Amino acid sequence: MTETAEKPVEEMTFEEAMRELEAVVTRLERGDVALDESITLYERGAALKKRCEEELARAEEKVAQITLDADGTPTGTKPVEGM
Amino acid sequence: MSDLLDDPRPGQNLPEYTVAEISGAVKRTLEGAFGRIRVRGEVGRVFRARSGHLYFDIKDDRNVLACTTWKGQIAGLSVMPEEGLEVVVTGRMTAFGGQSKYNLNVDEVVVAGQGALMALLEKRKKQLAAEGLFDPARKKPLPFLPRIIGVVTSPSGAVIRDILHRLRDRFPRKVLIWPVAVQGESCAAEVARAIEGFNRLSPGGALPRPDLIIVARGGGSIEDLWGFNEEIVARAAAASRIPLISAVGHETDTTLIDYVADKRAPTPTAAAEMAVPVRLELIAACDDFGARLTRAASDAITRRRQRLADLSRALPRPESLLEGPRQRLDRAGEALPNALIRGVQTRRLKLSELGGSLRASTLRRAIAHERRSFAALGARLEPALVRAAAMRRERLGTLAARLVATRPDRAIVRHRNDLSRLLHRLSTAARGGIDRWRRELEATDRLRETLSYKATLARGYAVVRAGGRPVTSRAQALPHRALEIEFADGRLPVTNAPPRKPSGRDDSPDDPGQATLF
C-alpha cells in the first residue's frame, strides 16, 4: 500500500486498486490509526472501491477474428457469430 | 520335322522393346504389382526442392528406398520426415524412366511408434533446455485482468467455443482470434507467425495488441499435436513479450510449447480460467471490502465515542474539586476578624512598653553629655594647629640651609674662567695656522705666475677671445662680430667685418676672415 499510496486512483489497474482497497480495509480494521488518518483512509478506500466497481461493470464480450491475406499478414477483423 | 522349320538363332524369338516401352512396362508392373503400400524405415537424407516437392530416403541397414512427396501432397502429411526419424510411409510405388529409378510416392508419413517420436521430442527438449528457454526466471506473470485476450487456434471447432464459453462465465472480455491450422504441415509455421504477429501489434492500434495470448488446440494423437513440438513454435512462444498460456491437447499430452509458455493449461477451458478471474467473485469481494470499509470507519468513530464517554465518566464533578478549597476559604474568612484584633493588640502592647522608657530628662542628659565632649575637643584644637605649623617651619629651615651650601652662581663663575682660557688658546692657534697658509699661498702664486700664458704674451704672442672665451681657430672666430685680442700690455677689441667681394659670396677658403681684421 505504501508504494501505491501516491498513485492517483484513476491511473491504477484493477488489480492495483483491488489490492490497495484490501490493504486499506485491513488497516482500518486493525483500529490503530489516528482518527484523522482513518477518515483519509476511508475516503481513499471509497474511491478505490468505486474504481473497482467501474472496472467490473465494464465487462463486455467482443469476439473478433483476424483476417489474413495470402501471405498470412493480418488485414483486419471480422465478427465471429454464433459462439 | 525339325528341318522344315528354320532353326531359330538363339534369342531370336525374344521380344524386343524400345527403352520407352520397357520403362513404361516396368512402371506399370511396379504400380500394378504393389499398388498402395506402407513401408517402415528410418528417414535418411531429406531434400526439399525449390519447386516445393519433397525428396527423401527411407532406409534400413542395407537398402534405400527413394521417396517423393509432391508439393500439393505435403500439407496432408501429419509428420514432416526428419533425418533419423523412424517412420511408416504410405504411398504408391512408381518408376521414373528418365533416370531408370523407382521410388515411392509418399502421401502420408507417420512416426513408427511412440518411442521414436518421443525420442525426437526428448532431443529437442534437451537442446532448448540447454539454451535456458525453460528457465522459470523467464516466465512472465499473467495480468490479473487482461483487457484483450489473443487466442491462437482454429476458428472453427470446440476449442474456441470452450474458451469463449468459459470466459463469458467468468469475466467477458475482448477476444481476438488468430486463425491457424492446428495440425498438418503448415501448423507450426502458422502458429509461430500468429504469436509473432500478436506481439507486433501496437496497443490501442486498429488491431489492438492483446495483453495475454492463449495458444490452444484440442486433444489428438501425438502426430496430430506434432506441430506444437516444432522448434519454431517453441522459439516464438519463448520470444513473446506478451504473457502466453499454452493449452494443447489433453492434460497428459505435453508438447514442446508447454515448456516455454509462461503458464501451461491442461485444457482450453482451464486456459480461460487462468486468463480471467471470476467477475461475480470480484464483485462480491469488492462489496465485502466496501462493507468492511464502512464498518471499520464507523467502528473507529464508535470506539472513540465510547472511550470519550468512559473517560468523561471517570472525570470528577467540578463541585467536588472545589469543596476542599471552599471550606478552607470559609474557615479563613471566619478567623480573619479575630486575627486582626489580636494583631493590633500585640502591637499596642509593644508600643506602650517602648513609650514607657521615653522621658525629657533622659534626652536632656544625653544632650549635656554631648556638649561636654564638644567643648573638650574645641579646647584641644588650637594648640594642635600651632604645633603643626611650628613643625613644618622647622623643616623648611633645615632644607633652606642645605640649599645655601650648594650655590649655583659660584659654579657659573668657575666655568666662565675656563671658557675664556680656552677661547684664548683657540685664537692663538688659529692665527698661527692662517700665517702658515698665507705663506704657502704666496709661494704657490709665484709658481703660478711663472707658468702662466702671460709670460708668453711678453714674448710677443696674443690671445684672441670671443664673448669672453679664447678662440683658437678661424672657424671658431668667424661667426663672432666682436673679438678681443689680449697683448702683454692690455686688451684690444676689434670688429670682425664680413669680407667685401663682388661675387657676394660669404666666404672663400683663399680669403680668410683674418684679412679684414687689419
Side-chain angles (χ1 to χ4, degrees):
Chain A
M1 126 126 221
T2 40
E3 74 272 17
T4 51
E6 304 305 320
K7 194 168 179 179
V9 171
E10 312 79 59
E11 292 174 18
M12 286 184 160
T13 65
F14 176 81
E15 189 186 7
E16 283 170 339
M18 198 73 176
R19 198 181 296 144
E20 195 186 331
L21 175 58
E22 183 169 14
V24 165
V25 169
T26 309
R27 275 198 74 192
L28 261 185
E29 283 179 339
R30 224 164 41 218
D32 56 358
V33 283
L35 190 60
D36 282 359
E37 203 191 340
S38 71
I39 291 163
T40 314
L41 274 177
Y42 175 78
E43 283 167 353
R44 181 143 180 106
L48 288 165
K49 178 171 181 275
K50 187 159 164 281
R51 170 82 183 79
C52 291
E53 282 171 343
E54 282 168 5
E55 188 70 36
L56 288 171
R58 205 183 296 142
E60 59 164 334
E61 184 188 82
K62 201 166 157 191
V63 182
Q65 181 182 325
I66 290 177
T67 51
L68 301 169
D69 63 14
D71 301 327
T73 311
T75 52
T77 59
K78 63 176 186 189
V80 174
E81 312 278 330
M83 283 202 189
Chain B
M1 285 292 287
S2 65
D3 56 344
L4 295 178
L5 301 172
D6 287 335
D7 186 25
R9 277 177 283 154
Q12 274 292 305
N13 60 347
L14 290 180
E16 188 180 286
Y17 293 95
T18 62
V19 177
E21 282 166 353
I22 188 65
S23 294
V26 167
K27 186 175 160 84
R28 274 191 305 277
T29 307
L30 273 175
E31 288 178 355
F34 295 102
R36 196 170 148 83
I37 54 165
R38 297 173 75 226
V39 182
R40 183 188 185 113
E42 184 190 329
V43 177
R45 186 188 58 92
V46 179
F47 171 68
R48 185 152 188 181
R50 209 170 297 160
S51 59
H53 307 316
L54 186 69
Y55 300 96
F56 59 101
D57 293 339
I58 301 291
K59 59 180 186 180
D60 59 18
D61 49 353
R62 276 189 215 153
N63 302 287
V64 175
L65 174 64
C67 298
T68 310
T69 302
W70 307 121
K71 188 180 176 184
Q73 297 173 309
I74 290 175
L77 300 183
S78 49
V79 174
M80 279 295 285
E82 194 165 320
E83 191 167 345
L85 194 62
E86 192 75 17
V87 292
V88 176
V89 295
T90 308
R92 291 178 181 280
M93 280 308 294
T94 183
F96 178 47
Q99 281 187 332
S100 182
K101 282 186 175 168
Y102 67 91
N103 63 66
L104 185 68
N105 175 223
V106 174
D107 53 29
E108 171 67 312
V109 179
V110 294
V111 175
Q114 303 274 308
L117 208 48
M118 292 319 283
L120 181 65
L121 178 57
E122 214 45 48
K123 196 181 95 189
R124 286 182 187 165
K125 249 167 70 183
K126 269 197 194 110
Q127 190 200 334
L128 295 188
E131 288 180 33
L133 295 190
F134 303 164
D135 193 341
R138 286 180 53 100
K139 311 259 182 234
K140 295 173 285 298
L142 304 185
F144 180 74
L145 181 57
R147 288 175 178 277
I148 301 163
I149 301 168
V151 182
V152 177
T153 192
S154 162
S156 55
V159 169
I160 187 65
R161 269 175 213 277
D162 287 350
I163 291 175
L164 293 176
H165 188 253
R166 188 50 59 100
L167 284 179
R168 196 176 301 135
D169 283 351
R170 290 171 70 88
F171 206 131
R173 296 275 85 180
K174 287 184 184 165
V175 175
L176 264 183
I177 302 167
W178 192 300
V180 291
V182 291
Q183 69 184 65
E185 197 263 341
S186 63
C187 165
E190 286 185 20
V191 170
R193 194 154 54 190
I195 295 171
E196 287 156 8
F198 270 143
N199 273 280
R200 260 199 300 276
L201 298 179
S202 52
L207 276 177
R209 187 180 195 247
D211 33 24
L212 179 70
I213 296 176
I214 299 174
V215 178
R217 192 215 188 278
S221 69
I222 186 166
E223 291 85 1
D224 288 344
L225 303 182
W226 194 251
F228 296 89
N229 284 323
E230 294 290 354
E231 202 175 320
I232 50 166
V233 171
R235 289 198 185 279
S240 175
R241 293 178 306 283
I242 303 172
L244 186 143
I245 302 174
S246 73
V248 176
H250 293 305
E251 187 154 11
T252 48
D253 308 322
T254 303
T255 51
L256 204 55
I257 192 178
D258 292 330
Y259 293 98
V260 290
D262 296 304
K263 206 92 177 176
R264 189 226 164 178
T267 60
T269 302
E273 286 170 4
M274 285 175 182
V276 293
V278 178
R279 179 166 167 262
L280 288 176
E281 283 174 14
L282 287 176
I283 291 174
C286 199
D287 288 347
D288 181 46
F289 283 147
R292 281 166 62 192
L293 183 71
T294 311
R295 199 183 323 121
S298 68
D299 278 359
I301 292 168
T302 310
R303 212 165 43 245
R304 282 173 172 84
R305 185 171 289 143
Q306 184 62 45
R307 178 91 180 117
L308 179 63
D310 292 349
L311 286 173
S312 50
R313 262 201 299 284
L315 209 60
R317 284 178 301 111
E319 296 79 20
S320 69
L321 280 176
L322 290 177
E323 272 163 8
R326 183 167 289 148
Q327 256 175 5
R328 275 167 53 211
L329 176 63
D330 288 348
R331 256 202 309 280
E334 281 164 23
L336 187 60
N338 283 338
L340 257 178
I341 291 165
R342 216 166 28 248
V344 170
Q345 281 172 345
T346 312
R347 278 167 184 77
R348 184 171 291 152
L349 191 64
K350 186 133 189 213
L351 177 62
S352 66
E353 276 170 15
L354 291 171
S357 59
L358 193 66
R359 296 279 189 286
S361 60
T362 320
L363 260 179
R364 262 199 299 278
R365 210 160 39 241
I367 291 167
H369 175 73
E370 296 298 331
R371 184 172 289 151
R372 267 199 305 281
S373 51
F374 177 69
L377 288 172
R380 284 164 60 194
L381 184 62
E382 200 185 336
L385 208 68
V386 170
R387 204 163 49 245
M391 218 159 67
R392 276 165 181 77
R393 187 169 293 137
E394 198 181 330
R395 175 91 180 122
L396 176 65
T398 318
L399 289 174
R402 281 170 57 192
L403 185 62
V404 170
T406 57
R407 279 177 58 176
D409 48 352
R410 288 187 191 160
I412 291 168
V413 169
R414 199 174 62 240
H415 292 316
R416 188 172 288 149
N417 287 346
D418 289 351
L419 178 62
S420 62
R421 220 168 23 250
L422 285 171
L423 277 175
H424 180 69
R425 281 172 60 192
L426 177 64
S427 64
T428 314
R431 250 195 313 279
I434 290 167
D435 287 347
R436 196 168 63 247
W437 290 335
R438 184 171 291 144
R439 279 193 302 274
E440 282 176 17
L441 179 62
E442 282 166 0
T444 309
D445 193 50
R446 274 195 302 279
L447 183 60
R448 186 186 63 83
E449 285 293 332
T450 56
L451 296 175
S452 163
Y453 72 96
K454 303 244 178 174
T456 314
L457 294 183
R459 293 207 305 274
Y461 292 92
V463 175
V464 182
R465 285 187 176 83
R469 290 208 168 130
V471 289
T472 55
S473 69
R474 179 178 178 270
Q476 276 181 1
L478 207 55
H480 296 280
R481 282 303 203 150
L483 298 172
E484 191 186 57
I485 301 169
E486 183 183 6
F487 300 99
D489 55 347
R491 300 187 178 199
L492 176 71
V494 292
T495 305
N496 183 12
R500 283 190 199 102
K501 283 251 176 179
S503 66
R505 272 157 55 186
D506 279 336
D507 58 342
S508 165
D510 320 296
D511 192 11
Q514 195 162 359
T516 61
L517 290 176
F518 303 104

